[in-house]
């Protein structure tokens, strides 16, 4: 296996069989020109735009980005979860993709000899995606809140997890840009909430490596600019990780856009631009 962090929550995974592109927000902005890539992404290469398979974790614009989807080769097989409200597959087909497969929750599918994938739903509209190539198991939790027994199922189905990729910072303006009559209403989420959730996922899955992921954004709209000062950095995650118990089996690795891991060469990681 070889995987490349493209930016924010987008991964390109090269297996011993097919290539898989996950959550392609490749260019431009989303959320009404508020969210932009940080660090900025390079222009998509022809190889990036021609995957064998494409997986969409959920319906949010920074994961299912219509302008990016319109640039991808329509011959790609699009994989998505079989949600209870079944609209994603139809929207993908309307974009011109003819080969669309809905994956039932937790059902392991073999894409090629030795290459397995599965989609794990949590809540009504979000998923974690797992790719295994031989003994290498990559669990892309992105910003899915999967936890507890539901999270342990991944290790039960795939065995020891090599990589866990998980969000670690805000993907919303609550509570920083909100007002409330009762101040307690603005304490439901804190910085510590995100740090604790990252560490707890590592305790549960005991991956070989954990990568802070899916928060490589800058907020450039005047009404959301203040959120930039609130972002939780991978360096803060490392501090919480170093203080935590129960994660001794896991090494934390910060990866930036363009960084790579392969079973042949290991990590190819530049100095982080967003620590």
């Amino acid at each position: 296996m070889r995987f490349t962090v493209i930016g924010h929550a987008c991964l390109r995974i090269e297996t011993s069989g097919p290539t898989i592109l996950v959550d392609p927000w490749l260019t431009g902005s989303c959320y009404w020109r508020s969210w932009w890539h940080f660090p900025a992404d390079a222009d998509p290469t022809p190889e990036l735009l021609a995957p064998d398979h494409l997986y969409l974790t959920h319906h949010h614009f920074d994961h299912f980005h219509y302008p990016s989807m319109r640039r991808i080769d329509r011959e790609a097989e699009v994989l998505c979860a079989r949600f209870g409200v079944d609209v994603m597959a139809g929207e993908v087909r309307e974009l011109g993709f003819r080969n669309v497969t809905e994956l039932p929750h937790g059902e392991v599918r073999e894409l090629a000899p030795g290459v397995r994938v599965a989609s794990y739903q949590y809540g009504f509209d979000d998923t974690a995606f797992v790719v295994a190539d031989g003994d290498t198991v990559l669990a892309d939790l992105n910003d899915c809140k999967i936890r507890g027994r539901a999270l342990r199922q991944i290790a039960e189905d795939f065995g020891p997890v090599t990589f866990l990729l998980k969000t670690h910072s805000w993907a919303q303006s609550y509570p920083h840009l909100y007002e409330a009559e009762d101040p307690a209403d603005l304490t439901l989420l804190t910085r510590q909430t995100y740090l604790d959730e990252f560490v707890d996922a590592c305790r549960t899955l005991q991956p070989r490596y954990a990568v802070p992921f899916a928060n490589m954004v800058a907020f450039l709209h005047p009404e959301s600019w203040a959120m930039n000062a609130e972002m939780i950095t991978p360096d803060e995650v490392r501090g919480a990780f170093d203080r935590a118990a129960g994660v001794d089996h896991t090494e934390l690795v910060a990866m930036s856009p363009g960084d790579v891991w392969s079973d042949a060469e290991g990590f190819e990681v530049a100095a982080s631009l967003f620590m």
Side-chain angles (χ1 to χ4, degrees):
M1 181 188 288
R2 183 179 194 269
F3 72 85
T4 305
V5 174
I6 304 302
H8 187 50
C10 183
L11 282 177
R12 183 175 189 260
I13 304 170
E14 301 166 70
T15 73
S16 57
T19 57
I20 307 169
L21 184 64
V22 184
D23 285 350
W25 169 25
L26 303 175
T27 57
S29 66
C30 63
Y31 290 116
W32 305 280
R33 298 185 68 78
S34 173
W35 290 40
W36 295 80
H37 286 288
F38 180 79
D41 280 0
D43 290 335
T45 63
E47 292 80 11
L48 185 63
L49 297 174
D52 296 310
H53 300 276
L54 170 66
Y55 183 79
L56 302 171
T57 59
H58 61 297
H59 228 132
H60 291 169
F61 301 148
D62 53 319
H63 301 261
F64 185 178
H65 186 247
Y66 273 58
S68 297
M69 291 285 288
R70 292 189 181 102
R71 299 186 63 180
I72 294 172
D73 189 338
R74 301 302 192 274
E75 295 303 312
E77 179 186 11
V78 180
L79 308 173
C80 58
R82 183 177 294 167
F83 289 119
V85 179
D86 188 15
V87 296
M88 182 181 282
E91 292 185 11
V92 171
R93 291 187 179 98
E94 288 177 1
L95 288 169
F97 293 91
R98 295 177 294 277
N99 192 3
V100 182
T101 301
E102 293 179 280
L103 302 178
H105 168 76
E107 183 175 293
V108 179
R109 179 185 179 199
E110 189 172 69
L111 299 183
V115 180
R116 299 167 293 145
V117 300
S119 171
Y120 293 86
Q121 297 181 40
Y122 200 76
F124 63 90
D125 66 347
D126 206 352
T127 66
F129 184 56
V130 180
V131 181
D133 189 1
D135 294 330
T136 302
V137 178
L138 186 153
D140 178 9
L141 305 192
N142 59 85
D143 47 353
C144 183
K145 303 303 182 186
I146 189 169
R147 64 192 73 183
R149 174 68 184 85
L151 183 57
R152 289 194 295 273
Q153 184 183 346
I154 290 174
E156 293 169 6
D157 292 343
F158 283 90
V161 172
T162 315
F163 293 95
L164 181 152
L165 289 80
K166 179 173 170 53
T167 187
H168 59 283
S169 188
W170 313 94
Q172 57 189 340
S173 57
Y174 171 88
H176 305 288
L177 304 184
Y178 279 63
E179 297 178 357
E181 292 183 4
D182 183 354
D185 290 341
L186 300 180
T187 63
L188 300 178
L189 284 178
T190 68
R191 300 179 80 81
Q192 196 62 43
T193 303
Y194 287 91
L195 296 172
D196 288 346
E197 288 183 348
F198 188 96
V199 170
D200 286 346
C202 291
R203 285 197 188 103
T204 299
L205 282 185
Q206 294 287 304
R208 177 67 185 87
Y209 302 103
V211 179
F213 190 61
N215 288 112
M216 296 180 232
V217 295
F219 303 101
L220 302 186
H221 191 282
E223 294 183 5
S224 59
W225 182 269
M227 283 302 301
N228 292 304
E230 305 298 337
M231 293 298 284
I232 302 166
T233 67
D235 203 33
E236 288 182 74
V237 179
R238 186 180 301 280
F241 200 83
D242 289 345
R243 295 187 298 271
V247 292
D248 297 339
H249 294 84
T250 300
E251 178 181 346
L252 188 78
V253 180
M255 299 182 74
S256 299
D259 288 348
V260 173
W261 178 88
S262 69
D263 50 17
E265 302 292 337
F267 286 99
E268 301 172 42
V269 177
S272 177
L273 300 177
F274 57 101
M275 295 295 281

